[in-house]
Amino acid sequence: MSDKIYIISDGTGQSAVNIMKAALLQFNEPNIKLSVYSMVHEEVQLRSILEHAKIDNSVIACTMVGTVNRSIVRQFCEENELPFIDILGPSLDTLAQHLNKTPLETPGVLRKVDEKYFKRIEAMEFTLTHDDGKTLRGIAEADLVILGLSRTSKTPTSFYLAQQGFKVINVPLVPEVPISEEIYKIDQNRIVILMMEPEVLQKVRSARLRHYRTTSTYNNINKIFEEVEFCYELVRKNRKWNMVNTTNKSIEETAREIIHSVYGRDMEL
């Protein structure tokens, strides 16, 4: 078998690279090489690449939005008995039938610099400025305000959401420190409290303390129970606030639950 996979694309080919890397991880095949041919538009160029793939007896993975070139690759692979992975084709065909529309067949539209790109950049800059309670200036612009106890994943969750285009402010919750009045002046539905089960939070904080080789009441289980109860009390008093339990959840899962809680499942990004 060939130790190479040919990736042919009329765009950047990055989608195919990501998919093939993810698939290869399931077979523990780190030595497989990905030979990437991007921006392939001309038939002469395409057929030359296919001939090289034939010599190497390689798998061919294709992300081509153009129907003609995609058909050329499929036919060549069938005639020469080469394994062929059509990554975009089935999705395009199914959607065309379902939507009763013809695909644009325009390569690279996913990566065009557009309003959404600039929105994400702006959101990331906003979130960086407002990380960990640095400032509440601009809170009226925030799409989400995340409150949370220490080590409940406020910062990584905020930056993940910012990458999706959300302007996020995150603020540490400390029972002894009053919550700023500014937080009560915005739409209360946009406020989310992150919490974690006390025993798990203790483990997370204990690991943090070992890293810094110091002692503190920071990981005292009784203190943590009090902090968690403080969070529940805040939600009882502020009925419009949302609470998300981050225990044993990935950042992606936490972020998805936040979006669903505040904006619903059908929000268009």
Side-chain angles (χ1 to χ4, degrees), residues 62-100:
C62 167
T63 51
M64 305 195 88
V65 296
T67 306
V68 174
N69 281 345
R70 200 164 66 243
S71 298
I72 290 172
V73 177
R74 181 183 292 107
Q75 184 178 354
F76 184 93
C77 290
E78 289 174 354
E79 291 175 353
N80 293 279
E81 298 182 347
L82 291 176
F84 172 49
I85 304 170
D86 185 358
I87 294 172
L88 277 182
S91 299
L92 289 171
D93 294 342
T94 300
L95 287 171
Q97 184 175 6
H98 177 72
L99 299 172
N100 195 27

Side-chain angles (χ1 to χ4, degrees), residues 14-257:
Q14 190 58 49
S15 298
V17 169
N18 293 340
I19 291 170
M20 297 314 300
K21 281 183 175 179
L24 287 168
L25 285 173
Q26 300 300 318
F27 299 95
N28 193 25
E29 289 287 351
N31 296 322
I32 298 288
K33 295 187 176 101
L34 302 180
S35 187
V36 183
Y37 297 86
S38 58
M39 304 300 175
V40 178
H41 304 292
E42 302 299 326
E43 182 178 340
V44 173
Q45 180 190 15
L46 176 59
R47 291 194 178 277
S48 174
I49 295 167
L50 292 171
E51 290 295 340
H52 281 90
K54 178 181 176 181
I55 294 171
D56 287 337
N57 191 30
S58 174
V59 173
I60 295 176
C62 167
T63 51
M64 305 195 88
V65 296
T67 306
V68 174
N69 281 345
R70 200 164 66 243
S71 298
I72 290 172
V73 177
R74 181 183 292 107
Q75 184 178 354
F76 184 93
C77 290
E78 289 174 354
E79 291 175 353
N80 293 279
E81 298 182 347
L82 291 176
F84 172 49
I85 304 170
D86 185 358
I87 294 172
L88 277 182
S91 299
L92 289 171
D93 294 342
T94 300
L95 287 171
Q97 184 175 6
H98 177 72
L99 299 172
N100 195 27
K101 289 183 177 180
T102 303
L104 297 174
E105 298 192 7
T106 305
V109 291
L110 181 63
R111 296 191 176 272
K112 280 188 176 178
V113 176
D114 56 12
E115 289 182 6
K116 288 186 177 180
Y117 171 81
F118 288 112
K119 180 183 177 183
R120 290 187 177 105
I121 296 298
E122 185 180 353
M124 290 171 69
E125 291 175 347
F126 180 94
T127 302
L128 178 62
T129 301
H130 295 83
D131 180 41
D132 202 31
K134 289 176 186 173
T135 178
L136 291 179
R137 284 182 308 192
I139 192 171
E141 297 178 44
D143 298 304
L144 295 161
V145 175
I146 294 177
L147 310 177
L149 302 175
S150 176
R151 312 312 298 170
T152 51
S153 301
K154 295 186 301 299
T155 292
T157 301
S158 296
F159 281 106
Y160 180 85
L161 287 163
Q163 290 173 6
Q164 315 306 310
F166 293 94
K167 292 180 178 179
V168 185
I169 291 177
N170 82 74
V171 181
L173 276 180
V174 181
E176 299 79 15
V177 179
I179 295 173
S180 171
E181 288 299 319
E182 295 300 313
I183 288 174
Y184 295 98
K185 295 177 181 177
I186 65 167
D187 179 356
Q188 299 295 281
N189 286 308
R190 286 185 276 159
I191 297 174
V192 180
I193 289 185
L194 299 188
M195 60 83 64
M196 190 178 286
E197 296 302 324
E199 294 82 3
V200 177
L201 185 53
Q202 183 191 37
K203 290 179 181 178
V204 174
R205 289 186 178 180
S206 295
R208 177 76 168 178
L209 287 179
R210 284 195 298 271
H211 177 74
Y212 284 101
R213 298 179 182 178
T214 184
T215 57
S216 169
T217 59
Y218 180 63
N219 64 336
N220 180 278
I221 190 64
N222 291 326
K223 182 177 183 297
I224 291 174
F225 271 114
E226 290 176 3
E227 291 181 40
V228 171
E229 181 55 34
F230 170 69
C231 290
Y232 280 115
E233 184 62 25
L234 280 174
V235 174
R236 281 193 288 269
K237 289 180 178 178
N238 301 277
R239 296 292 184 173
K240 291 186 178 181
W241 291 12
N242 303 277
M243 176 175 277
V244 173
N245 190 329
T246 66
T247 305
N248 299 325
K249 288 179 184 171
S250 67
I251 299 302
E252 293 83 357
E253 288 173 313
T254 299
R256 187 161 55 245
E257 190 169 337

